[in-house]
């Protein structure tokens, strides 16, 4: 099997047609899954990206697929739980269709407990996981341990009060998954992938306008262009510019070359992620910066994360940093993903705002977006729906 651990080759671009039944704006993880679902439904689709597929935040490094805490169970946590279960089969099907690996593994997660007060909280979560993580014939655990569950990985001194070992968490290689989705779509019957074409406006007249003067008419459009979705949706929905529907949040991450067993669990502590990948690399991240001067530069904030990772995982102490990465992730005004149409503009469907959870939810959110395109009800939590975000923007919730 070919290991697709870099962004795909983008030679031989498809020309932009004059019309399509479905236009998808943005070729990140959301748009790619939506295009794949549209292809399986037989919908004539054009996916356009201002750059290359996965060239935005989806082309990052981490790929941690981590569940919400098992306490205070609600529809949002159920949606994510179901998504994390079904993603495994979705990726297996994609890999079978393309012969490419997405670097997926249900590896679990270790959370050090550095302070004594965290231990009783973790014990409560252990009990709640026995109920809430036992579904669909599968059971996952939130173990609370005195020592790390595996040797030669997390330093025992990182958990003064012990360690959590969750068996639900997984990982994927973001770039490998993007590459596999892109390859699958470029061989599809119903989807045309067009790169290097930036949409500058959409409207109720069902015409997309591009920055080079080109136009494309459509029956429906899905806007999945990351943080640039928010101004595009504001224009398409004829909304006031303020308050914004969402914002860009900067993240920084690094990739280290290390001889680490890829079966090792993801490590998470206070916003620090340590993710061992299948290709002999370990990803470290990520910052969440709402104020920044340069969106695509790395700085001392990333250095601090690398230093913290080396302290928690001694095997990384001399590992070479082979890439430093920075990018912008989309956070919708309601913090949850945004999916669905404006009630007064049903031909435009939002699919954005995933922030840190996009890779775990994108395939299910794509299903919801396609339901909206087909005039069907979406099976998503109310906090995900576009109308909920619109209400928040206008102070109605």
């Amino acid at each position: 099997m070919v290991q697709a651990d870099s962004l795909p080759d983008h030679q031989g671009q498809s020309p932009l047609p004059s019309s399509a039944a479905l236009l998808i704006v943005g070729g990140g993880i959301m748009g790619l899954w939506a295009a794949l679902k549209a292809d399986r439904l037989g919908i004539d689709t054009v996916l356009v990206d201002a750059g290359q597929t996965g060239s935005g935040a989806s082309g990052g490094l981490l790929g941690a697929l981590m569940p919400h805490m098992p306490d205070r169970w609600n529809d949002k946590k159920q949606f994510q739980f179901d998504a994390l279960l079904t993603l495994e089969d979705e990726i297996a099907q994609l890999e079978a269709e393309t012969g490419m690996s997405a670097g997926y593994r249900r590896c679990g997660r270790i959370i050090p407990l550095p302070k004594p007060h965290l231990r009783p909280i973790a014990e409560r979560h252990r009990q709640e996981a026995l109920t809430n993580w036992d579904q669909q014939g599968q059971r996952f655990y939130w173990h609370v341990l005195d020592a790390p569950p595996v040797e030669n990985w997390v330093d025992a001194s990182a958990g003064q009060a012990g360690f959590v070992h969750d068996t639900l968490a997984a990982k994927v290689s973001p770039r490998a998954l993007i590459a596999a989705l892109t390859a699958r779509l470029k061989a599809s019957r119903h989807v045309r992938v067009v790169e290097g074409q930036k949409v500058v406006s959409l409207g109720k007249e069902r015409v997309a306008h591009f920055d080079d003067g080109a136009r494309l008419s459509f029956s429906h459009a899905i806007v999945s262009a990351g943080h640039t979705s928010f101004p595009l949706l504001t224009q398409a929905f004829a909304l006031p510019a303020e308050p914004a529907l969402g914002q860009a949040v900067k993240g920084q991450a690094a990739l280290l070359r290390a001889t680490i067993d890829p079966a090792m669990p993801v490590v998470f502590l206070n916003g620090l992620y340590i993710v061992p990948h299948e290709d002999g690399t370990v990803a470290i991240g990520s910052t969440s910066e709402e104020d920044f001067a340069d969106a695509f530069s790395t700085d001392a904030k990333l250095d601090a994360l690398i230093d913290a990772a080396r302290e928690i995982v001694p095997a990384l102490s001399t590992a070479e940093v082979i890439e430093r990465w920075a990018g912008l992730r989309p956070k919708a005004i309601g913090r949850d993903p945004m999916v669905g149409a404006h009630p007064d503009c049903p031909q435009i469907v939002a699919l954005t705002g995933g922030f840190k959870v996009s890779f775990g939810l994108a395939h299910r959110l794509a299903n919801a977006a396609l339901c909206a395109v087909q005039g069907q009800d979406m099976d998503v939590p109310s906090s995900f729906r576009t109308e909920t975000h619109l209400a928040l923007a206008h102070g109605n919730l």
Side-chain angles (χ1 to χ4, degrees):
M1 180 175 288
V2 177
Q3 177 69 42
D5 55 3
S6 61
L7 291 177
D9 183 0
H10 298 278
Q11 302 300 315
Q13 306 295 345
S14 297
L16 184 69
S18 60
S19 65
L22 174 62
L23 170 65
I24 299 176
V25 183
I29 190 64
M30 296 282 193
L32 290 169
W33 273 117
L36 179 55
K37 302 290 186 173
D39 181 65
R40 290 175 177 162
L41 290 171
I43 300 173
D44 171 40
T45 301
V46 173
L47 183 149
V48 297
D49 194 277
Q52 298 177 343
T53 57
S55 58
S58 295
L61 304 174
L62 287 182
L65 303 171
M66 301 199 318
H68 288 299
M69 299 297 175
D71 65 325
R72 294 178 292 180
W73 204 250
N74 56 29
D75 60 347
K76 183 168 70 173
K77 293 188 176 187
Q78 185 66 52
F79 185 92
Q80 190 208 40
F81 180 88
D82 294 339
L84 291 175
L85 292 192
T86 57
L87 180 60
E88 187 167 343
D89 289 339
E90 292 270 12
I91 287 179
Q93 180 179 353
L94 177 66
E95 290 178 335
E97 290 172 342
T98 62
M100 300 168 69
S101 170
Y104 175 88
R105 186 189 291 252
R106 190 174 299 284
C107 58
R109 167 179 55 169
I110 296 174
I111 306 174
L113 302 173
K115 301 293 183 181
H117 76 276
L118 297 173
R119 181 77 179 222
I121 297 172
E123 292 286 1
R124 289 199 302 271
H125 289 167
R126 181 184 68 82
Q127 287 297 122
E128 289 151 342
L130 293 176
T131 298
N132 296 325
W133 286 5
D134 183 5
Q135 299 184 43
Q136 300 183 28
Q138 298 191 63
R139 174 175 290 182
F140 302 94
Y141 296 93
W142 179 276
H143 298 297
V144 182
L145 309 170
D146 294 327
V150 293
E151 296 181 352
N152 303 318
W153 186 225
V154 176
D155 192 281
S157 65
Q160 176 188 347
F163 297 84
V164 168
H165 179 214
D166 119 48
T167 64
L168 175 55
K171 65 182 177 185
V172 70
S173 167
R175 294 175 180 177
L177 179 53
I178 291 291
L181 285 165
T182 301
R184 167 64 175 78
L185 290 171
K186 289 191 172 181
S188 70
R189 294 181 56 193
H190 303 289
V191 177
R192 183 179 300 190
V193 177
V194 181
E195 296 165 304
Q197 291 281 160
K198 182 179 180 180
V199 174
V200 294
S201 68
L202 298 166
K204 292 184 177 181
E205 73 278 13
R206 302 177 190 261
V207 175
H209 299 263
F210 293 80
D211 60 350
D212 62 357
R215 294 158 55 97
L216 184 149
S217 61
F218 57 85
S219 296
H220 287 84
I222 293 176
V223 180
S224 54
H227 70 94
T228 65
S229 300
F230 302 127
L232 194 57
L233 289 166
T234 296
Q235 174 274 321
F237 293 160
L239 300 172
E242 295 293 339
L245 287 177
Q247 66 182 109
V249 177
K250 179 179 177 179
Q252 299 185 47
L255 197 65
L256 280 60
R257 179 70 66 188
T259 306
I260 299 294
D261 182 353
M264 289 295 183
V266 169
V267 180
F268 176 73
L269 178 62
N270 297 330
L272 169 65
Y273 301 76
I274 305 171
V275 186
H277 285 301
E278 304 290 315
D279 61 354
T281 63
V282 177
I284 293 170
S286 62
T287 65
S288 292
E289 305 165 51
E290 296 189 0
D291 297 309
F292 46 86
D294 186 342
F296 303 106
S297 67
T298 60
D299 55 32
K301 294 183 180 70
L302 179 57
D303 295 333
L305 287 180
I306 296 171
D307 290 343
R310 293 187 193 279
E311 184 175 349
I312 294 171
V313 178
L316 301 178
S317 60
T318 60
E320 176 190 6
V321 178
I322 58 175
E323 183 178 348
R324 296 167 65 93
W325 180 92
L328 297 177
R329 296 166 296 183
K331 184 168 78 170
I333 189 170
R335 299 185 63 86
D336 289 337
M338 180 190 299
V339 60
H342 187 295
D344 297 329
C345 192
Q347 74 273 20
I348 308 292
V349 176
L351 178 59
T352 187
F355 192 32
K356 294 182 178 181
V357 299
S358 295
F359 273 80
L361 301 184
H363 62 297
R364 283 204 71 195
L365 293 173
N367 288 339
L370 268 296
C371 285
V373 166
Q374 296 174 301
Q376 302 168 356
D377 187 35
M378 301 186 303
D379 181 17
V380 298
S382 60
S383 62
F384 288 14
R385 292 175 177 268
T386 295
E387 56 263 35
T388 301
H389 292 275
L390 292 171
L392 286 168
H394 292 90
N396 295 328
L397 287 179

